[in-house]
Each structure stands twice: as structure tokens, then as C-alpha cells.
Amino acid sequence: MTRDLPTSLLMFIASRAASERIFRAVQEAGFTDLTLAQGRLMMGMEPDGSRLSTLADRGQIAKQTATALVDKLERAGYVERVPDPSDGRARLVRFTSRALAVLPIARAEEARIEAEWRAHLGAERMDQLRDALTALREVTDPHRPPHQA
Amino acid sequence: MTRDLPTSLLMFIASRAASERIFRAVQEAGFTDLTLAQGRLMMGMEPDGSRLSTLADRGQIAKQTATALVDKLERAGYVERVPDPSDGRARLVRFTSRALAVLPIARAEEARIEAEWRAHLGAERMDQLRDALTALREVTDPHRPPHQA
DNA sequence: CAATCTAGTTCGATCATAGAACTACCGCAA
DNA sequence: TTGCGGTAGTTCTATGATCGAACTAGATTG
């Protein structure tokens, strides 16, 4: 009876469920001022700080959007902007200690989800799933990872 | 070198790419007033019309959100609200002929994507992918499809 | 040094989203 | 049949995300 859903929709369902769970975990840990979009941006940051354009590019959002998100994150004390020593125009967005307290929570929930999925599917199917999804990046990810020969 | 991304993020990447493509195809066919959220709502409609609450529930959005989306779709001439004969409180949201012109375009692009992915992965891996994703619905989809014995 | 490009910001507009409170209607139960 | 609790949908209002356009400051190149 369950009609055949498009593959992309199946992905959407699962990935949204994961997002929601991580978001909830963070909320329940007391970080109630973080939004989903802000969290997503933070997950794309490098440990030593990232440029705004890099974040925008990586998240496939406009620079203005990234600016707005970083503004709010900064006001809430999760990130700070420091000058980029290698380029006077640029600034690096860096985690504050507050952010460093959130990240493990998000990562832990992420790991829990991954484990549950693996338990539900079995190791083999989970590996196949990851394999297929990874291969699909070659045709779906604008930040195509370097073709590993 | 490509660090190991969470499975849910891999799904997000691919599903967003698909959304974008379908959205663009619809835009390029001249339907420039449709937004992504509106399109998603339409894709969740039944051919004979759906109740607003059903759409909200299915799309995991609040009733108010669904109302707002339907308002815009109605103003743009894609759907109409008709009384639900079986319940005086309810109304059915139904496609207009304008919507019936868009749907095939979206579905065609969807099919094209599906075909490309299958070509890229090979039939076997694509089947495994769909199999795993479908199984995951049991733990990620609030509208859990009936467990088929 | 001048022309040009790039990083980031600001302004302004639109869309998506949901909490709260409301109206109209349904269904059931005394 | 009357009345009360629940449901469908809407309106009001507020917030967040998003981006086009236009701008500033610093970098780059010929």
C-alpha cells in the first residue's frame, strides 16, 4: 500500500529526523537559544576558525545569510570574529568556549543515531548505505570531494 | 582525505541537490512564482484533494504554516479550497489545472534524477540504497508505513 | 599607481514558521 | 435535544532564514 517514494524523499525523511533529534538534544542540554540553521553553520566550521565566505560556500547559502547567522551566534556568545592575519579584508569566525560545550553534545547524539541506524539495518546494509551515499556525492555535491583514484 | 561525514549529512547533501534540481526545472518551465516549500506541499497532496490538517501532518509543519502556504498557492492559482462534503468544518485543497501542468514537470525531473543516480551507482547499489532507506523509515518516519509482515 | 577583484557588511524585502487565541462545526452522552 | 469537549481551519503576531542590490575596505595585477 505504501506507494513508492522517490529516493531523494526517503533521504529527506531520514536526514530531517536526524536533524530534529540533534536539535532536541542540544535544546534539552540547556542551549535553548540555538536554532537549526545556526547549528548547521557551526557544524561546518573548522576547529581553528573559518572565513565567512567559506561557510557560506560550504553551506550553500548567500554571504548575507551567513553574516546574519554569525551575527546571532556572536551575540549569543557561541562564536567570535577575529582578524585573519593572512588577509586584512577577511575575518575568522571562531568557536568560543560556550560553543565548545555544545559540540560534544551534538556529536554524541549524532553518534547515537548512527549506532541506532546500524543496529536497525545491520552492519552490512549500513555499510552499503554509506557506500552508496558517498558515491552519490560525486554527482550531487558541489564541493565534490577529490576523486580518489 | 575526505573526512568521514555523518550518514544523515550525506543524505542531506543528496536530497537537497535533488530538490534544487526539481525546483530549477519548474522555474525554467516558466512557473517562477512557486517556492520550494509550496512545491513540497503540493507533492504531498492527493489527486482528489487533501485536508489542510493532513497536509500539515504529513509535511510535519504547523497548521498555520500550511494555511499560509495554501493561501499563497491559492492566490497564485495552483490550488483551490472546496468544502469537504463529509465534514462541515473541513475543506479539501485541490489542484487546479495550472497545478496539473506543473506536476508532470516536477515528476519528470524527479525521474531523470532517479535514472541518473541509478546509472551512476549501478542497479545493484541503487537497489540496496533504496532498500536501506526504506527500512530506515521504520525508525525515522513519524508516518511509519505499516509494517509489512 | 590605477583598474579590478574580493571579503564582508548593510539595507530592504520576502518567505517560512509557529504560539496563542478565536470561530464554526462535529460527536457523544445524559 | 441540548450541552460539552474535541477538531478543522483561520487570524494575529512575532521571529528566523533567506537573498538581491549596493556599499566599504583591503588585495592584486599590470
Side-chain angles (χ1 to χ4, degrees):
Chain A
M1 220 73 301
T2 307
R3 105 201 119 160
D4 231 12
L5 300 184
T7 308
S8 61
L9 180 53
L10 295 173
M11 293 175 185
F12 180 74
I13 290 168
S15 78
R16 175 162 63 177
S19 288
E20 291 294 342
R21 268 191 58 175
I22 296 169
F23 181 64
R24 212 175 323 127
V26 167
Q27 292 266 313
E28 280 164 11
F31 300 93
T32 54
D33 51 355
L34 275 175
T35 67
L36 237 160
Q38 288 165 23
R40 212 159 34 225
L41 188 96
M42 285 208 297
M43 298 305 258
M45 284 173 57
E46 285 140 306
D48 297 329
S50 305
R51 289 199 189 172
L52 194 111
S53 328
T54 309
L55 294 179
D57 203 40
R58 192 171 290 162
Q60 296 184 56
I61 56 179
K63 282 188 305 176
Q64 305 97 300
T65 306
T67 299
L69 290 174
V70 169
D71 281 350
K72 282 180 190 151
L73 284 171
E74 191 168 32
R75 253 181 284 123
Y78 290 100
V79 305
E80 57 185 356
R81 285 184 244 226
V82 301
D84 182 340
S86 75
D87 188 330
R89 293 164 300 180
R91 305 160 80 180
L92 293 177
V93 183
R94 278 205 317 208
F95 292 123
T96 62
S97 55
R98 181 149 195 230
L100 296 178
V102 189
L103 292 177
I105 294 167
R107 296 215 182 93
E109 188 65 21
E110 176 69 61
R112 218 167 292 132
I113 292 166
E114 204 86 12
E116 286 176 23
W117 286 2
R118 183 168 291 273
H120 185 73
L121 294 179
E124 188 184 13
R125 278 205 297 179
M126 183 69 175
D127 289 338
Q128 289 171 352
L129 174 64
R130 289 190 52 85
D131 173 67
L133 288 171
T134 302
L136 270 189
R137 283 185 76 189
E138 288 159 21
V139 290
T140 56
D141 192 348
H143 295 281
R144 215 160 305 165
H147 241 168
Q148 35 205 9
Chain B
M1 226 66 314
T2 307
R3 105 202 117 154
D4 229 15
L5 300 184
T7 308
S8 61
L9 180 53
L10 295 173
M11 293 175 184
F12 181 74
I13 291 169
S15 77
R16 175 163 63 178
S19 288
E20 290 294 343
R21 269 190 59 175
I22 296 170
F23 181 64
R24 211 176 323 126
V26 167
Q27 292 265 313
E28 279 163 12
F31 300 93
T32 54
D33 52 355
L34 274 175
T35 67
L36 238 161
Q38 287 165 24
R40 209 155 40 221
L41 189 96
M42 284 208 297
M43 299 304 258
M45 284 174 56
E46 285 140 306
D48 296 329
S50 304
R51 291 198 187 171
L52 193 109
S53 327
T54 307
L55 294 179
D57 202 40
R58 193 172 289 162
Q60 295 184 57
I61 56 179
K63 282 188 305 176
Q64 304 97 303
T65 306
T67 299
L69 291 174
V70 169
D71 281 350
K72 281 177 192 152
L73 283 170
E74 191 169 33
R75 251 181 284 122
Y78 290 101
V79 305
E80 57 185 356
R81 284 186 245 227
V82 301
D84 182 340
S86 76
D87 187 332
R89 294 165 299 181
R91 304 160 80 179
L92 293 176
V93 183
R94 278 204 317 206
F95 293 123
T96 62
S97 55
R98 182 149 193 230
L100 296 178
V102 189
L103 292 177
I105 294 167
R107 296 214 182 94
E109 188 65 20
E110 174 70 60
R112 219 167 292 130
I113 293 167
E114 203 86 14
E116 286 176 24
W117 287 2
R118 183 168 291 275
H120 186 73
L121 294 179
E124 189 185 12
R125 278 205 296 179
M126 183 68 175
D127 288 338
Q128 289 171 351
L129 174 64
R130 290 190 52 83
D131 173 66
L133 288 170
T134 301
L136 269 189
R137 283 185 77 189
E138 289 159 19
V139 290
T140 56
D141 192 348
H143 295 281
R144 215 162 306 163
H147 241 169
Q148 37 205 7

